[in-house]
Amino acid sequence: QVQLVQSGGGSVQSGGSLRLSCVASGTLDSRYCMGWFRQAPGKEREGVAAILTDGRIKYADSVKGRFTITRDNAKNTLYLQMNSLEPDDTAMYYCAADTSCYSWSWQNPHEYSYWGQGTQVTVSS
């Protein structure tokens, strides 16, 4: 069993920065796929960034160049550094994990078995 506990988020003006953290515990190792998703009201949950099973990093086109996903295996913690935030980034953000994910499936939320509790990010113009 894996537990994911998120922190970070909040409210910021357009152009600002925030960092999200996700601490993992339980039967998880460095080979697990971990990622970040977000869901805005009335919209589907979408993949934002992920570190795949093979170590490659993927980003949604909408956040490339602005968001950075990193992982500290010693601390079992996943991070999402979000810079140049825009109002369209406003959403509930979730971290997710599973034993494996691949370049063709990482953005599908159904591929992930474990989820954090979610944290709100609000960007005002």
Side-chain angles (χ1 to χ4, degrees):
Q1 193 73 354
V2 173
Q3 296 81 39
L4 304 176
V5 178
Q6 298 177 223
S7 60
S11 298
V12 66
Q13 290 191 325
S14 183
S17 298
L18 288 171
R19 188 175 82 157
L20 306 181
S21 300
C22 174
V23 179
S25 60
T27 55
L28 175 147
D29 62 36
S30 60
R31 295 168 294 179
Y32 266 55
C33 170
M34 295 191 74
W36 290 97
F37 284 74
R38 66 186 181 187
Q39 188 166 18
K43 294 188 177 181
E44 293 185 353
R45 191 168 297 192
E46 64 170 344
V48 174
I51 302 176
L52 306 185
T53 306
D54 61 7
R56 286 184 293 166
I57 291 176
K58 294 291 187 181
Y59 294 100
D61 288 344
S62 58
V63 306
K64 280 181 181 176
R66 300 187 299 122
F67 290 12
T68 303
I69 186 172
T70 56
R71 182 174 180 172
D72 185 334
N73 288 328
K75 296 181 178 180
N76 286 334
T77 302
L78 182 74
Y79 301 98
L80 185 68
Q81 178 66 43
M82 304 182 291
N83 298 329
S84 302
L85 283 161
E86 305 167 352
D88 283 348
D89 295 317
T90 295
M92 186 72 78
Y93 282 70
Y94 299 90
C95 66
D98 205 280
T99 53
S100 60
C101 63
Y102 304 97
S103 58
W104 59 86
S105 63
W106 74 270
Q107 289 183 293
N108 182 352
H110 300 292
E111 295 291 315
Y112 297 79
S113 300
Y114 308 105
W115 291 87
Q117 79 277 18
T119 186
Q120 179 68 36
V121 171
T122 302
V123 185
S124 58
S125 57

